[in-house]
Amino acid sequence: MSDIGEPLTGELPELPRSTRRVAFVDSGLGLLGYADALHALRPDLGLVLSLDPDNMPYGPRTPDEVQRLILASARATLPFEPDAVVVACNTASVHGLGALRAELEPHVPVIGTVPAIRPAAASGGPVAVWATAATTSSDYLRGLVDAFAADVETHAVAALGLAEAIESGDEQAIEESIAYAASHTPAGVRSLVLGCTHYGLVVDRILAALEEGVTVHDSPVAVARQTLRRIGLEPDATAPHAGVEAVLLSSRPGRLPESWASYPAGRRLLAAPATGRPAGTSH
């Protein structure tokens, strides 16, 4: 997906603004599924999407680098006065959540993402966790398995190149990465945990590559519900429509790339174009 959006130029469109909004930060497209899930539950909340194409992927970077980058992405959303910031990235949640909360809370709640190992283990094993190579070998993932799936047969599977293929929109690379991960997933697995926020964008293709009867566990809806709890709202799918209010690309104003239409969540978000206006900007 080579089109990451062009900088905004000229007059910004005159679109209505919501009174409340939530910011999503990630290195790349992983935030699409999380923003889409919140939009489905509360369409009246404005969305501020902050991606970091200059520095993605975050997986190979040091913890200090990830923390610095995710702080910069979150700070760039503050002129839009978000009611909450969602870190829609497992790597950034591990290394940056504490620093973000120390800086922004209690004024702005910060919600992180964690692979859904607990509910997967509760439904019985065997469980497979697809993740990036860095995550599958991390102390973080081992800690989650020890805490929530110690008595359940669990397999960490490196979905090599899948996040990058999704980000670039390379259909052949997506299929090859899914096939590779599926071939390394033991037979008889009952539950699959998506350990990277990008993977949910191709969940149908992942399921098609696995044995029948595998249940996928992902976290966008759970994160959306937690976000609503943190800002004191209940789900209301009938609320008036607000949509995307801004897109930031490595802290620069940008547009919703048409290439996001490759994914269902992206198509839904493209139906609500960005205004690019910080909070308080007059129309």
Side-chain angles (χ1 to χ4, degrees):
M1 214 171 298
S2 58
D3 176 14
I4 60 171
E6 296 298 325
L8 287 172
T9 58
E11 281 298 312
L12 296 171
E14 297 290 340
L15 296 178
R17 293 188 55 83
S18 68
T19 57
R20 305 191 72 176
R21 60 197 60 83
V22 172
F24 291 81
V25 295
D26 184 18
S27 62
L29 299 187
L31 56 71
L32 294 186
Y34 289 78
D36 180 54
L38 183 67
H39 184 62
L41 292 179
R42 285 296 302 225
D44 57 331
L45 288 173
L47 306 175
V48 178
L49 309 182
S50 184
L51 300 83
D52 191 8
D54 291 357
N55 298 294
M56 76 84 57
Y58 284 172
R61 295 185 175 275
T62 67
D64 286 346
E65 286 180 310
V66 172
Q67 183 180 112
R68 174 178 58 81
L69 292 169
I70 205 66
L71 279 168
S73 289
R75 288 168 182 156
T77 71
L78 297 182
F80 298 88
E81 298 181 2
D83 288 75
V85 172
V86 176
V87 184
C89 173
N90 292 298
T91 301
S93 293
V94 173
H95 300 309
L97 201 59
L100 275 171
R101 284 176 170 162
E103 181 169 313
L104 300 182
E105 292 188 346
H107 180 63
V108 180
V110 180
I111 298 90
T113 52
V114 176
I117 292 173
R118 187 174 190 171
S123 65
V127 173
V129 183
W130 282 20
T132 63
T135 297
T136 55
S137 61
S138 68
D139 292 338
Y140 165 67
L141 182 59
R142 283 190 289 271
L144 288 176
V145 172
D146 289 345
F148 301 120
D151 299 325
V152 176
E153 182 183 342
T154 304
H155 305 272
V157 177
L160 298 180
L162 182 54
E164 292 81 0
I166 292 169
E167 190 72 30
S168 67
D170 186 330
E171 294 294 327
Q172 180 176 345
I174 290 171
E175 294 303 322
E176 290 174 352
S177 294
I178 290 174
Y180 174 87
S183 71
H184 286 74
T185 301
V189 161
R190 294 177 55 192
S191 296
L192 174 66
V193 177
L194 302 185
C196 172
T197 57
H198 280 67
Y199 298 170
L201 297 176
V202 293
V203 65
D204 290 345
R205 282 180 266 187
I206 290 172
L207 278 171
L210 297 172
E211 298 174 358
E212 289 188 11
V214 175
T215 299
V216 172
H217 294 265
D218 203 5
S219 56
V221 173
V223 169
R225 290 184 179 279
Q226 174 66 1
T227 302
L228 293 179
R229 284 192 290 269
R230 292 292 306 275
I231 63 177
L233 293 178
E234 295 291 332
D236 181 3
T238 65
H241 187 279
V244 178
E245 294 192 346
V247 175
L248 299 168
L249 303 175
S250 297
S251 302
R252 302 182 301 271
R255 295 188 187 278
L256 286 164
E258 291 297 327
S259 53
W260 289 6
S262 298
Y263 306 109
R267 288 194 290 273
R268 288 187 287 268
L269 293 175
L270 282 167
T275 70
R277 294 183 182 278
T281 301
S282 60
H283 295 289

